[in-house]
Amino acid sequence: MRRGSRLTAGRPDDEREQQKGTFSGAIHTWNTEYIQTSLGKKKTRLHSTLYEQKNSDFWRGRLQRTKATPGDCGRRSRTFWARDLRPTTMLTRLMTLLNAHFFQDKVETVRASSAATPPYDVPHRSTPTITDWSIVTSDEVEKLIGSLPNKTCQSDPAPTWLGKEMRRLLSPFICLLFNKSFTIGCFPQEFKEAVFRPLLKKSWLDASELKNYRPVSNLPFIFKLLEKVVQLRIQALFDSNGLMPVMQSVYRRFHSTETAVTKVFNDLLRAEDGGQLSAQCVLDLTAAFDTVDHELLLLRLERQFGLRGIVLDCFRSYLSGRSFCVVLNGRTSSIIYIICSVPQGSVLGPLLFIAYTADLTTIAEKHSICIADVGFRRLLKTHLFALY
């Protein structure tokens, strides 16, 4: 007999509910009588005192961190609790900041901090070159359409699922468009208009502070398809010639933050076995994707990765003339034109970022350092707790 049958055998539902009610009533009665006793009253006052003290300490610390005085508490209470903000109030504040080019101002601030740095002369590296694209076939396009996720952008003329259903019919025309772009070395301008949907970086961050949002590009489906065609060809060039950084443990196939953690964890174990001390230093790049300099990136692609001719022209067209607008709860901000960065949420963005930070990975290889993303610290901390 099943466990549920044994538990309910011989005990009707109404009798069980009656027993539950009787038990709850007895607990309530005991709690009430206990509180009325002198000991109960004493403990109740103690609990209330501790709660008030904890609550006071919390808000006093919150005021100190925001540099507010108690007199400002009434006016600034909205900054303490995002959930206290009415949706319309928060939306108005966010859209006001977005229309004030918040994301663009953040990038300009970061770039201004390094403006005094002398221009970097990218060294030449002996490597095979690529000057022209291989022909795109209808079968390749049809296969790629079927493999991409069903994500639809606001700029898409039709839902992605519909395009995937009709891929056999559409693939010859898309193939013709891609081959034409590869021939003239130009990406269509309509493909470079992104929609930003701000995503909260961490679930526990203050939702009313715009600095806690990450601008993720929502790009047209056909543009991501063209990016995928380019990515496959460039990735094949990098892999076949050993151009991918060895210590790069993210944005690569068969590599992730877990790969980096495994490597570092193994180094820690070997150091401990040898009686050595270990120290961890973690560096974080602020607005890493958003501050990529286009001219420097193009120089790296040409001098260190062998991109020439039409292929390099395609990347120059890919990076130039980009724009975005922010969409939030059905409202759209003004259009902002981009002078730097590779788009987050794109197919080519991670690969281009690896090429942009190639010299950094060279330094990492000399000292056996891994390069990963923000998830690395969390995974490594978990492994360290297991070790110690």
Side-chain angles (χ1 to χ4, degrees), residues 210-342:
L210 208 62
K211 65 181 181 180
N212 295 331
Y213 286 86
R214 176 182 292 108
V216 177
S217 299
N218 193 2
L219 299 165
F221 176 79
I222 192 171
F223 176 69
K224 284 194 172 184
L225 184 62
L226 178 56
E227 279 190 300
K228 189 63 177 178
V229 172
V230 174
Q231 188 262 343
L232 290 175
R233 284 157 172 73
I234 297 300
Q235 190 69 60
L237 173 69
F238 289 1
D239 292 340
S240 61
N241 295 284
L243 300 178
M244 292 298 292
V246 177
M247 304 305 292
Q248 179 75 36
S249 293
V250 72
Y251 310 134
R252 293 178 59 192
R253 190 181 183 187
F254 305 127
H255 291 73
S256 65
T257 52
E258 293 182 358
T259 310
V261 168
T262 302
K263 201 272 179 191
V264 173
F265 190 62
N266 180 68
D267 291 344
L268 292 173
L269 291 176
R270 294 179 62 183
E272 186 177 14
D273 292 340
Q276 299 175 338
L277 295 177
S278 300
Q280 177 189 358
C281 179
V282 180
L283 303 179
D284 184 25
L285 298 177
T286 301
F289 275 42
D290 299 327
T291 55
V292 171
D293 185 86
H294 290 169
E295 293 301 322
L296 182 57
L297 174 59
L298 290 171
L299 279 176
R300 290 189 183 279
L301 293 176
E302 179 182 5
R303 297 182 181 182
Q304 296 188 336
F305 293 91
L307 305 191
R308 306 281 197 278
I310 292 295
V311 175
L312 189 63
D313 290 340
C314 281
F315 279 98
R316 183 175 286 107
S317 173
Y318 173 86
L319 295 171
S320 64
R322 305 190 66 87
S323 64
F324 74 90
C325 64
V326 180
V327 175
L328 187 64
N329 290 357
R331 302 191 183 187
T332 305
S333 72
S334 58
I335 296 177
I336 299 175
Y337 292 92
I338 304 172
I339 60 173
C340 62
S341 83
V342 291

Side-chain angles (χ1 to χ4, degrees), residues 43-115:
K43 289 192 174 183
T44 301
R45 286 195 298 269
L46 178 61
H47 291 165
S48 299
T49 302
L50 292 175
Y51 173 79
E52 291 297 335
Q53 181 180 354
K54 184 71 174 178
N55 189 52
S56 177
D57 293 342
F58 171 79
W59 287 112
R60 186 177 291 108
R62 201 73 181 268
L63 285 169
Q64 292 176 354
R65 288 195 298 272
T66 56
K67 298 181 180 180
T69 63
D72 296 331
C73 187
R75 295 188 298 273
R76 303 185 62 177
S77 60
R78 292 180 180 179
T79 62
F80 296 148
W81 294 101
R83 63 185 181 188
D84 290 341
L85 289 172
R86 292 176 298 178
T88 55
T89 303
M90 183 184 293
L91 178 61
T92 301
R93 181 182 178 190
L94 288 175
M95 291 306 300
T96 300
L97 292 175
L98 291 174
N99 282 301
H101 300 229
F102 174 82
F103 293 121
Q104 187 181 38
D105 293 343
K106 176 183 176 182
V107 171
E108 290 178 356
T109 301
V110 175
R111 285 169 59 87
S113 63
S114 60

